[in-house]
Amino acid sequence: MDAPSYMLTKIAEKDDLAVYELFFGPNHPGMHGNFGYVLEMIGTEIVKVRPNAGQLHRGFEKLMEQKLWVQNIALVPRICVVDPDPNEVAYCTAIEKIMGIEIPDRAKFIRTITLEMSRLTSFLMGMGALGAALGLYTPMYIMTADRDLILDLFEWLTGGRIYHIFNIPGGVRNDLPEGWVDRLNKVLDHLEKRLIEYDKILFENPIVHKRLKGLGYVSKEDAVRFGLTGPNLRASGNPYDVRVDDPYAAYAYLDVKVIIQEGGDALTRAVQVRIEFEETIKLIRQALKLMPEGEVRLNLGNLAMLKVPKGEAYAKVESSKGEFGYYVVSDGGMKPYRVAVRGPSLPAGLLLAQKHLPKMKIDDVAAWMGSLAICPPDIDK
């Protein structure tokens, strides 16, 4: 039976073989969000790829010029839905740099805790999605359920499960509610116990090893040359982590372990996330133990009337997918003059796609994307 014409179209012949064009986009369950690759294929082998980011066109950076400083806090989390908090912190930190202010110490620790919680939710979704891309749905179901436990805590703290809009210029919106820390510790205990099960059903699974070993190899030099950051960079042997190399929030007070591996392929990247997941739990426990009492925000008046002095600043944070950087320019008014966002998914989603996808089988595309944790809104912003 012929495939629907909107999915598969014969466009040419090469060496007496038909070349078909396939749109691998949001209609495919293995695609990450509203994004697409136009693939030219012979049989099941890809011969050419053309990234198509035109499914979004949300223009985050331009929209930010039209909104008040505080209104953008509700906009920036959408640049990476599964790990939204790093965008809030990077944006607010850039504003605070321009204003020349330092937030209270307790606010720094609360920011750090929520950032690492967001990292956990993103890792859980990423690990589960990678399993599903290989036909292993049990890990996805279990990890989605475990992720909900953290989202419950976010809802209790901020009122929102996905978009938290919790960080503000000068600190955070509110302090931790009574009983919240106890519940967080219980969730962390649960996640630590789950690690053995994660390993058995996913990371020790022979299907995972057979499908991911050697897939999408990135050398140590290429990782730097292509601009990879985060776990993808460290999985290729580069010991760089923004939390250590340029600390922000409360990371300067914590013992952040930078883990590196030398493998550089999809399997190594998957294991990298698994190891960093465990380290993230330890970081949250450190932050809870060291967090001081005190205020959680500066009094900057009515934030809806906030005017940021003329100036510019660049702030960067380490998200679960890599480095998010915000370059913010103020002309002294109530809205940003310019905001430019540097996200971690652009190098992999666009540049590495041109290197890796040709000669790859179509059944490996979703697994390749999952191993690099590509977040499409970060590309089309």
Side-chain angles (χ1 to χ4, degrees):
M1 182 178 179
D2 291 337
S5 61
Y6 65 85
M7 293 180 62
L8 193 64
T9 307
K10 182 178 178 180
I11 60 172
E13 288 191 6
K14 182 179 181 181
D15 299 329
D16 295 326
L17 297 173
V19 180
Y20 286 91
E21 185 177 89
L22 174 70
F23 180 57
F24 189 96
N27 57 320
H28 193 289
M31 175 51 65
H32 292 212
N34 297 322
F35 185 63
Y37 290 115
V38 180
L39 306 175
E40 290 185 18
M41 302 169 52
I42 296 178
T44 60
E45 184 176 298
I46 300 164
V47 295
K48 188 176 180 181
V49 59
R50 187 172 75 251
N52 181 351
Q55 309 299 309
L56 292 170
H57 283 310
R58 289 189 279 198
F60 296 108
E61 294 174 334
K62 200 65 181 174
L63 279 172
M64 280 188 257
E65 298 174 15
Q66 315 302 320
K67 296 181 179 292
L68 301 175
W69 290 100
V70 71
Q71 286 178 315
N72 285 323
I73 298 170
L75 180 64
V76 295
R78 289 158 172 79
I79 295 178
C80 190
V81 179
V82 297
D83 191 8
D85 297 75
N87 288 279
E88 293 183 24
V89 172
Y91 174 70
C92 290
T93 301
I95 295 173
E96 290 154 4
K97 283 186 175 183
I98 298 173
M99 297 182 71
I101 59 176
E102 184 172 353
I103 66 173
D105 284 345
R106 184 171 177 84
K108 293 178 182 178
F109 276 85
I110 294 175
R111 278 188 180 180
T112 301
I113 291 166
T114 54
L115 282 169
E116 295 302 312
M117 287 172 58
S118 185
R119 181 186 303 274
L120 288 179
T121 64
S122 179
F123 279 164
L124 285 168
M125 177 170 278
M127 292 187 294
L130 184 59
L134 303 175
L136 303 171
Y137 289 94
T138 300
M140 182 185 71
Y141 296 146
I142 291 176
M143 291 175 182
T144 299
D146 287 345
R147 180 173 179 265
D148 271 349
L149 299 176
I150 306 174
L151 297 186
D152 289 342
L153 285 161
F154 270 121
E155 186 176 16
W156 186 1
L157 176 64
T158 72
R161 295 180 70 79
I162 307 299
Y163 301 129
H164 308 130
I165 318 173
F166 181 64
N167 297 278
I168 57 174
V172 295
R173 279 200 282 121
N174 51 264
D175 207 340
L176 306 177
E178 185 177 350
W180 189 88
V181 171
D182 291 337
R183 178 58 185 162
L184 173 57
N185 277 314
K186 289 179 181 178
V187 170
L188 296 178
D189 290 341
H190 168 78
L191 292 175
E192 283 179 327
K193 292 176 183 176
R194 280 287 210 193
L195 291 173
I196 297 173
E197 194 166 359
Y198 295 168
D199 290 343
K200 286 182 178 179
I201 62 176
L202 187 63
F203 296 101
E204 296 172 4
N205 192 312
I207 295 174
V208 173
H209 284 251
K210 185 175 181 180
R211 291 287 303 278
L212 297 186
K213 191 170 182 62
L215 179 67
Y217 172 73
V218 183
S219 69
K220 183 175 183 178
E221 295 74 22
D222 277 351
V224 175
R225 187 165 63 91
F226 279 93
L228 295 185
T229 56
N232 293 332
L233 181 68
R234 293 188 286 275
S236 289
N238 294 285
Y240 176 77
D241 190 315
V242 181
R243 296 171 297 179
V244 173
D245 293 284
D246 192 4
Y248 54 94
Y251 289 108
Y253 305 100
L254 305 180
D255 180 18
V256 182
K257 186 178 179 181
V258 181
I259 298 158
I260 62 168
Q261 298 186 87
E262 303 292 339
D265 61 0
L267 181 61
T268 307
R269 291 191 289 271
V271 173
Q272 181 77 23
V273 168
R274 158 62 180 85
I275 299 171
E276 292 197 11
F277 181 88
E278 188 171 3
E279 286 301 315
T280 297
I281 294 174
K282 295 176 183 178
L283 269 181
I284 295 174
R285 292 197 188 280
Q286 276 190 60
L288 288 173
K289 184 177 180 180
L290 297 175
M291 180 170 56
E293 297 295 329
E295 299 295 322
V296 298
R297 59 189 290 186
L298 301 175
N299 184 4
L300 300 180
N302 183 354
L303 291 179
M305 303 297 292
L306 180 67
K307 286 187 177 182
V308 176
K310 188 175 181 179
E312 59 187 83
Y314 182 78
K316 57 185 178 180
V317 301
E318 179 81 19
S319 79
S320 63
K321 301 175 184 301
E323 180 182 313
F324 261 106
Y326 274 66
Y327 175 62
V328 179
V329 181
S330 174
D331 60 3
M334 295 175 63
K335 301 175 183 178
Y337 175 75
R338 184 75 177 95
V339 180
V341 182
R342 193 279 186 201
S345 295
L346 189 67
L350 295 185
L351 299 179
L352 275 181
Q354 308 287 345
K355 178 181 174 67
H356 285 168
L357 295 190
K359 297 186 178 181
M360 186 183 288
K361 298 291 186 180
I362 188 172
D363 40 311
D364 288 329
V365 174
W368 173 83
M369 288 190 70
S371 77
L372 288 162
I374 294 169
C375 193
D378 165 27
I379 296 172
D380 190 11
K381 59 185 179 296

